[in-house]
Amino acid sequence: MNPTDAPDAGRQTPGFAYRGRLAPSPTGFLHLGHARTFWVAQERARTNGGSLVLRNEDIDSTRFKLEFVSQMIEDLRWFGFEWQEGPDCGGPFAPYNQSERFNLYRAALEKLRDGGFIYPCTCSRKDIRDAASAPNAENEEPIYPGTCRQNRESQIVNRKFSWRFRVPDGETVSFTDGNCGPQTFVAGKDFGDFVVWRHDDVPAYQLACVVDDAAMQMSEVVRGADLLVSTARQLLLYRALGLPAPGFFHCALVRDEKGQRLAKRHDALSLRTLRGQGKTPAELRRDWAE
Ligand SMILES: [Zn+2]
């Protein structure tokens, strides 16, 4: 499978409008790592004469806090981000809050179920840890051993379950990343069957992301290089759902002085803290260039 050969990947065709997005999740303060990736996304949209969408990825109600949304928007504006569509300003593909788009995710889930692409999984985290084999790629989740592949929904009574996508074992998924070049992952080896709908009745990141990027007609997705393998998963979802896939541009991750990836726990590097210390966005951006 090579989606970049598909006609819909013809992003340079005349009259084709570049559409990019910022897709932060309001589970903590934005930090410099997010800002850097988002800045690349904004630059990509600007240099391609396109538009930028702000999508609020607030699907995870267990972790998301309401006050973070307005703070997140304020931090982004302070840093110099400008978007043409978003939860604060609306647009042709509204709503831009994922929590308001569940009907779309559910429709996609039903399509996957009707097409036989997914199966109900009753495994606990411990079951998977005990039975799974380690993946090849660094920082990846263990490969699901396929325990529940034969499950039928009708056989599961009074038990919570998640929906898992059955990957085509041994199939090579290739794409050409706009930044990292040609990428190749083998289904069942580099990544296994993955959850598309969680046991707590919430769509998984992979499904919501694919549904929204297609519905919002994104032409390119800019995000951190930690999601390269996820892109392979998502390409399988695009195919299963019969949706055109966007182009991808994965950026190197910002690391701290110890070489660790920045995470939301690095409070010292949150935009809010840096702003409180009197740093300006221009100064912070200048440091990236060094
Ligand atoms: Zn299972």
Side-chain angles (χ1 to χ4, degrees), residues 75-115:
D75 287 347
L76 289 167
R77 290 225 183 274
W78 170 74
F79 200 83
F81 290 105
E82 289 174 24
W83 49 93
Q84 289 72 52
E85 298 167 34
D88 55 332
C89 54
F93 300 95
Y96 294 92
N97 296 311
Q98 285 195 324
S99 56
E100 297 174 73
R101 300 175 63 81
F102 267 52
N103 54 337
L104 290 166
Y105 310 140
R106 205 168 281 285
L109 176 75
E110 281 165 17
K111 196 166 179 186
L112 291 174
R113 190 189 54 197
D114 295 348

Side-chain angles (χ1 to χ4, degrees), residues 208-238:
C209 185
V210 163
V211 167
D212 285 346
D213 284 335
M216 295 178 179
Q217 297 182 12
M218 291 299 134
S219 62
E220 185 175 78
V221 168
V222 177
R223 57 187 176 198
D226 55 326
L227 289 170
L228 273 167
V229 186
S230 264
T231 294
R233 294 185 182 94
Q234 292 183 14
L235 288 170
L236 293 175
L237 278 180
Y238 280 108

Side-chain angles (χ1 to χ4, degrees), residues 4-226:
T4 51
D5 292 339
D8 52 59
R11 301 183 291 286
Q12 310 305 326
T13 46
F16 191 92
Y18 182 99
R19 284 177 60 80
R21 88 288 203 278
L22 313 176
S25 172
T27 51
F29 293 127
L30 289 172
H31 60 64
L32 264 184
H34 300 117
R36 188 170 187 171
T37 303
F38 292 163
W39 198 255
V40 174
Q42 176 158 290
E43 286 298 293
R44 296 281 301 159
R46 194 181 58 77
T47 56
N48 286 285
S51 51
L52 198 62
V53 172
L54 176 66
R55 186 168 76 222
N56 173 26
E57 302 212 328
D58 61 348
I59 216 165
D60 196 342
S61 57
T62 54
R63 291 194 306 150
F64 134 79
K65 297 197 180 86
L66 197 63
E67 72 259 27
F68 281 132
V69 179
S70 52
Q71 286 167 355
M72 181 175 85
I73 288 177
E74 199 200 311
D75 287 347
L76 289 167
R77 290 225 183 274
W78 170 74
F79 200 83
F81 290 105
E82 289 174 24
W83 49 93
Q84 289 72 52
E85 298 167 34
D88 55 332
C89 54
F93 300 95
Y96 294 92
N97 296 311
Q98 285 195 324
S99 56
E100 297 174 73
R101 300 175 63 81
F102 267 52
N103 54 337
L104 290 166
Y105 310 140
R106 205 168 281 285
L109 176 75
E110 281 165 17
K111 196 166 179 186
L112 291 174
R113 190 189 54 197
D114 295 348
F117 292 104
I118 55 177
Y119 58 88
C121 169
T122 52
C123 295
S124 67
R125 266 192 201 157
K126 187 178 179 302
D127 292 339
I128 296 169
R129 237 189 353 257
D130 292 349
S133 60
N136 290 346
E138 206 190 340
N139 300 327
E140 265 296 304
E141 62 183 38
I143 296 200
Y144 179 71
T147 321
C148 298
R149 272 191 169 188
Q150 305 310 318
N151 274 1
R152 295 284 166 272
E153 192 179 1
S154 57
Q155 299 166 330
I156 302 169
V157 183
N158 291 330
R159 274 190 83 176
K160 287 191 170 181
F161 59 88
S162 56
W163 285 102
R164 239 174 231 282
F165 187 88
R166 184 187 292 103
V167 304
D169 285 330
E171 183 178 330
T172 299
V173 182
S174 310
F175 60 99
T176 302
D177 188 77
N179 190 38
C180 307
Q183 303 292 316
T184 298
F185 298 98
V186 178
K189 187 160 154 266
D190 296 318
F191 62 95
D193 294 355
F194 55 93
V195 172
V196 293
W197 202 276
R198 296 173 4 188
H199 63 86
D200 54 352
D201 206 24
V202 171
Y205 164 77
Q206 312 289 358
L207 183 68
C209 185
V210 163
V211 167
D212 285 346
D213 284 335
M216 295 178 179
Q217 297 182 12
M218 291 299 134
S219 62
E220 185 175 78
V221 168
V222 177
R223 57 187 176 198
D226 55 326

